[in-house]
Amino acid sequence: GNSVTQMEGPVTLSEEAFLTINCTYTATGYPSLFWYVQYPGEGLQLLLKATKADDKGSNKGFEATYRKETTSFHLEKGSVQVSDSAVYFCALSSKTSYDKVIFGPGTSLSVIP
Amino acid sequence: KAGVTQTPRYLIKTRGQQVTLSCSPISGHRSVSWYQQTPGQGLQFLFEYFSETQRNKGNFPGRFSGRQFSNSRSEMNVSTLELGDSALYLCASSLTGTERAYEQYFGPGTRLTVT
């Protein structure tokens, strides 16, 4: 079945450091890929998405490129801020998963001043 | 446009009791999904409702049930509560759930504690 794997962390970075959170997926067909972010005490928010191969999703300085050849959708940000401290979830949806969204385990990020 | 709202935000129940959680989706959204989030199991899909019909279901026992009303509001019910049901229950809505980019909008969740 479809699945999402991501580094679980926790990841601790200094402010202005470069961030990469790896995400790989297993799916048949052509899934849509997402990154969601969950700030402490809140629900999930959609951060960015990509719907086809080589698409790049971007938002708030975060980027991720849909790589079908490596089945990956790694999240990157050039310079993190303390306010980026949160849990990040990689997710996919596809017709073969009956349109359900399948989430990875989440990666906790702490950014220290 | 108002976001997804969930009530109550916090709930404490005793083992054996039952509980009902409520979710109001974004206006115009017809699909509502429910998730259970725990530190050990992460985000687990419970079920999805669309136009008052359950369209998808995760791997949870029959103690977990839900329904959707004609105005798209949804409730989930857990009967005979167990300690392991303590979790954050998240509701998410989307327009129809059939568009390829299945973009969901989440509520803040209901924190259920079972003692």
Side-chain angles (χ1 to χ4, degrees), chain B residues 31-42:
Chain B
S31 168
V32 174
S33 297
W34 288 89
Y35 296 85
Q36 182 195 65
Q37 186 178 27
T38 59
Q41 299 297 318

Side-chain angles (χ1 to χ4, degrees), chain A residues 30-32 34 36 38 41-44 46 49 51-52 66 89 93 95 98-101 103, chain B residues 9 35 37 42-43 45 48 56-57 88 90 97-108:
Chain A
Y30 301 91
S32 296
F34 308 87
Y36 283 84
Q38 185 176 32
E42 298 183 12
L44 278 69
L46 179 65
K49 68 180 181 186
T51 59
K52 60 183 187 297
Y66 189 141
F89 293 89
S93 74
K95 291 298 182 184
Y98 302 100
D99 297 315
K100 290 190 320 225
V101 180
F103 289 88
Chain B
R9 290 292 310 277
Y35 296 85
Q37 186 178 27
L43 268 166
F45 173 77
E48 183 215 0
N56 285 310
K57 189 177 188 303
L88 181 67
L90 292 165
T98 58
E99 62 273 17
R100 187 163 180 268
Y102 191 26
E103 192 168 317
Q104 293 187 308
Y105 296 82
F106 283 80

Side-chain angles (χ1 to χ4, degrees), chain B:
Chain B
K1 189 182 272 191
V4 178
T5 57
Q6 291 186 247
T7 56
R9 290 292 310 277
Y10 302 92
L11 207 49
I12 300 175
K13 290 286 188 179
T14 304
R15 265 182 307 175
Q17 288 186 313
Q18 68 128 22
V19 67
T20 299
L21 312 181
S22 180
C23 171
S24 293
I26 290 172
S27 177
H29 285 196
R30 295 168 61 192
S31 168
V32 174
S33 297
W34 288 89
Y35 296 85
Q36 182 195 65
Q37 186 178 27
T38 59
Q41 299 297 318
L43 268 166
Q44 292 188 284
F45 173 77
L46 280 154
F47 28 66
E48 183 215 0
Y49 285 86
F50 176 77
S51 290
E52 302 177 63
T53 301
Q54 187 180 87
R55 188 164 64 174
N56 285 310
K57 189 177 188 303
N59 297 322
F60 277 80
R63 300 185 296 108
F64 292 81
S65 63
R67 60 178 175 168
Q68 186 179 35
F69 301 95
S70 57
N71 62 358
S72 294
R73 190 177 70 85
S74 177
E75 289 181 347
M76 68 162 280
N77 185 78
V78 188
S79 62
T80 320
L81 283 166
E82 301 176 0
L83 293 178
D85 297 332
S86 295
L88 181 67
Y89 289 88
L90 292 165
C91 164
S93 76
S94 67
L95 275 169
T96 66
T98 58
E99 62 273 17
R100 187 163 180 268
Y102 191 26
E103 192 168 317
Q104 293 187 308
Y105 296 82
F106 283 80
T110 294
R111 172 74 63 186
L112 172 64
T113 302
V114 182
T115 62

Side-chain angles (χ1 to χ4, degrees), chain A residues 65-92:
Chain A
T65 301
Y66 189 141
R67 300 286 187 202
K68 190 159 179 63
E69 64 276 14
T70 54
T71 61
S72 65
F73 192 55
H74 305 322
L75 182 68
E76 297 182 335
K77 186 176 186 184
S79 176
V80 293
Q81 305 300 312
V82 172
S83 57
D84 294 327
S85 298
V87 180
Y88 293 81
F89 293 89
C90 185
L92 71 80

Side-chain angles (χ1 to χ4, degrees), chain A residues 2 27-29 93-99:
Chain A
N2 296 343
T28 54
S93 74
S94 77
K95 291 298 182 184
T96 58
S97 65
Y98 302 100
D99 297 315

